[in-house]
Amino acid sequence: MTFRPNPCEPLAPPGYALLSLPAEIDFCNAADLLPRVLAVADAHAGRLRVLVLDLTGTEFMDTQGARLIGDVACHLRDRNARVRVAAAPHGVPRRVLELTGLRRDVPVYDSPAEALRP
């Protein structure tokens, strides 16, 4: 997995970072994703107020994906930052976030552009 800027993605305002996650997040890759996501967050340390995790391209996610997002949220909370999620309205990731109850703690938006609004 690489974290390359996508010219079609909206530009993040100051203090915001956008990170697109892979098409599948499950027990096979969630443990490897966590240090990568935290490294991106830590690279913006001191300047980061909101990290937007883009799941709009994620077609499958199990509870390990929800755990990943929860762990990132806890990590950022300790650094006075927050996490937001962009997920397709009728996609599997959004449903997993609803079923696990994580959506109560992490705001979920329909698109990255909405999640990046201050």
Side-chain angles (χ1 to χ4, degrees), residues 68-87:
L68 167 74
I69 294 168
D71 290 347
V72 171
C74 287
H75 180 83
L76 292 179
R77 192 176 308 120
D78 293 342
R79 288 159 176 73
N80 296 319
R82 297 172 305 184
V83 67
R84 293 180 182 175
V85 172

